[in-house]
Amino acid sequence: MNMQPERVNGIEQIQTVAALARETWMSHYVPIIGRAQVEYMLEKYQSVEAIARQIEAEGYEYYLIPACGYFALVPDAANRSMLLSKIYVRAEKRGTGLGRAMVAYAEQRGRELGCRELWLTVNRNNAGSIAFYKRMGFRKTNPLVTDIGRGFVMDDWRMAKTLSSRSKADRLPRPG
Ligand SMILES: CC(C)(COP(=O)(O)OP(=O)(O)OC[C@H]1O[C@@H](n2cnc3c(N)ncnc32)[C@H](O)[C@@H]1OP(=O)(O)O)[C@@H](O)C(=O)NCCC(=O)NCCS
């Protein structure tokens, strides 16, 4: 699947991500967590202001695949780990390999930054995405319940996968 993610850094791209977030979160999360929590979380985490702040001050890297979806990474050099913070493919583009390509990009970026682990959180009732992550080699590590204010909680699984620092080819015994 040919996909070229654009690193998000300007206001127009941020506006595009915020619009994609609203579209995908509304259709996907309202049945899982309800409209009030989705509206609250969109405002808190995926408004233009919130995304700009995450990029400028909180170490987030956002990537956009125009008209298809977006993902966000948060590298943690000290712990040699990287959070796959967001991964959203527009409904009509799902099942075509974009999610897999996004995870592959995240793994490559993690290795490039010396990270050994890629991790994420996923709502416990987000069954399709949990199945997708398992297919991508992630395993559940522990449940995570996070109070996000105004009476809302995120009831998640933490999932992770190890990033090997060497490619398979490097591990093959050398001839002779
Ligand atoms: C989860 C998501 C990012 C996957 O992206 P995608 O482009 O549809 O996934 P792909 O087409 O790359 O699928 C990759 C593999 O995962 C499998 N897979 C994808 N979605 C799946 C699902 N719902 N259930 C079971 N397997 C699934 C595919 O069958 C495929 O397997 P294969 O390559 O071995 O045949 C996308 O469906 C999405 O945006 N979902 C809604 C938002 C969401 O919940 N995001 C995650 C937030 S934590």
Side-chain angles (χ1 to χ4, degrees):
M1 173 88 207
N2 182 25
M3 70 130 210
Q4 202 47 55
E6 295 176 358
R7 179 87 179 255
V8 173
N9 53 25
I11 185 68
E12 278 180 26
Q13 284 172 311
I14 293 175
Q15 284 166 342
T16 303
V17 169
L20 271 174
R22 173 158 284 277
E23 175 192 312
T24 51
W25 286 41
M26 276 297 182
S27 61
H28 190 72
Y29 285 130
V30 168
I32 299 177
I33 55 177
R35 180 172 295 271
Q37 182 162 348
V38 175
E39 288 284 4
Y40 175 69
M41 290 180 69
L42 278 171
E43 184 58 31
K44 190 174 167 80
Y45 302 115
Q46 298 285 260
S47 63
V48 169
E49 296 72 23
I51 296 167
R53 188 181 59 246
Q54 289 161 6
I55 292 171
E56 281 159 24
E58 297 171 18
Y60 281 66
E61 299 181 0
Y62 271 82
Y63 295 90
L64 174 65
I65 301 174
C68 292
Y70 71 100
F71 59 104
L73 309 174
V74 191
D76 177 350
N79 288 309
R80 300 187 70 179
S81 71
M82 191 161 75
L83 168 63
L84 174 57
S85 170
K86 312 277 182 299
I87 178 166
Y88 294 95
V89 174
R90 292 180 81 191
E92 67 265 35
K93 305 280 184 184
R94 287 178 200 153
T96 65
L98 281 164
R100 180 185 282 281
M102 290 175 175
V103 170
Y105 190 97
E107 290 178 18
Q108 186 193 325
R109 181 75 179 132
R111 284 196 196 93
E112 192 178 291
L113 296 173
C115 298
R116 288 180 177 159
E117 183 191 55
L118 184 63
W119 68 281
L120 57 89
T121 61
V122 57
N123 185 284
R124 284 205 221 198
N125 296 314
N126 196 352
S129 300
I130 291 172
F132 163 74
Y133 291 134
K134 282 187 178 159
R135 194 96 185 101
M136 298 298 102
F138 289 86
R139 294 291 170 258
K140 289 174 181 169
T141 58
N142 54 277
L144 259 186
V145 180
T146 312
D147 185 335
I148 56 168
R150 249 193 255 165
F152 296 117
V153 293
M154 293 201 299
D155 190 5
D156 293 336
W157 282 109
R158 181 187 186 278
M159 298 182 81
K161 82 178 278 187
T162 301
L163 299 179
S164 56
S165 54
R166 294 178 300 170
S167 70
K168 268 186 187 157
D170 292 339
R171 287 198 295 269
L172 291 174
R174 299 244 168 100

